[in-house]
Amino acid sequence: MPPRRAAGGGGAGTWEWVFAPRSRGERRYWLVKSEPEVFSFEDLLAAPERTTHWDGVRNYTARNFLRDGMKLGDEVFFYHSNAAPSAIVGTCEVVREGCPDNTAFDRDDPHFDPESERDDPTWYMVDLRAIDRLPRAVALPELKARKELADMTLLRIGRLSVSPVTAAQWKAIVAMAK
DNA sequence: GCCAACGTTGGC
DNA sequence: GCCAACGTTGGC
């Protein structure tokens, strides 16, 4: 069930549907954002094994999705933010589940966080492998125009860089991209 | 624990 | 470049 409200970190209960136990073999869906100027879907396709660490996320709600929500084989939309147009452009899959984000321990990394300890890490990442470009990018205004996507977390919480997607939303968007 | 100030994200 | 949204910080 999608969230009733766009509440962010607030009560843990808001995100119960995301962390609820899965039925056997159940696959779930997600969306990650990246500014194409920084790291684009093309960059992911060009990466070794078409895989990258999805690190540097410094928001607790997003961290919880990375650490506890995303499981091997889950599928993930790749969204270009701050782009012209901002759009969902490709799909990837989770190839490694949540593990500590080492960039938080590196003084020279822009995402260094002195509060995060190696034996009790604050921040987590997953590994994502590109599957494919969408046949057609689906731009933000198109998403907003669809009634059945009104509850989509991407549209509700603008600042969240990792967000859940329901199976119905996934299906609708894949159909839009044809 | 409240809330104002501040910083960041990201659409436009 | 502006600004709305909202998460985070810190004073009290």
Side-chain angles (χ1 to χ4, degrees):
Chain A
M1 189 192 302
R4 271 170 315 188
R5 306 195 321 107
T14 308
W15 298 110
E16 265 172 57
W17 63 288
V18 170
F19 301 109
R22 300 186 181 208
S23 56
R24 184 182 264 282
E26 180 183 353
R27 168 185 283 158
R28 290 189 182 165
Y29 303 93
W30 308 88
L31 177 146
V32 296
K33 295 183 189 177
S34 184
E35 301 191 25
E37 300 277 308
V38 177
F39 188 83
S40 70
F41 190 66
E42 279 62 41
D43 293 330
L44 181 57
L45 287 170
E49 311 270 326
R50 307 202 298 183
T51 299
T52 193
H53 298 320
W54 206 260
D55 55 19
V57 173
R58 297 292 179 267
N59 167 287
Y60 287 100
T61 303
R63 185 280 309 269
N64 294 345
F65 298 151
L66 292 170
R67 187 186 60 187
D68 307 323
M70 297 168 91
K71 300 297 176 192
L72 280 180
D74 281 0
E75 293 194 275
V76 184
F77 281 136
F78 196 108
Y79 176 86
H80 282 165
S81 61
N82 255 317
S86 293
I88 297 172
V89 296
T91 55
C92 23
E93 73 179 303
V94 176
V95 292
R96 181 161 66 150
E97 295 182 7
C99 57
D101 176 353
N102 289 323
T103 65
F105 308 129
D106 179 358
R107 288 193 174 280
D108 298 325
D109 192 282
H111 301 292
F112 174 63
D113 178 2
E115 305 287 299
S116 182
E117 316 253 356
R118 281 186 184 275
D119 56 2
D120 184 20
T122 307
W123 305 113
Y124 283 73
M125 65 180 192
V126 297
D127 285 0
L128 297 179
R129 177 165 62 210
I131 298 174
D132 210 352
R133 285 186 189 83
L134 289 179
R136 188 182 71 80
V138 181
L140 185 59
E142 296 179 67
L143 297 169
K144 286 181 170 173
R146 289 293 185 113
K147 267 203 204 100
E148 69 267 38
L149 299 179
D151 285 331
M152 199 178 171
T153 303
L154 173 73
L155 305 181
R156 294 294 197 94
I157 309 179
R159 299 172 12 109
L160 199 51
S161 66
V162 179
S163 61
V165 175
T166 67
Q169 290 161 358
W170 181 275
K171 197 174 164 190
I173 292 164
V174 167
M176 290 167 76
K178 290 230 162 77

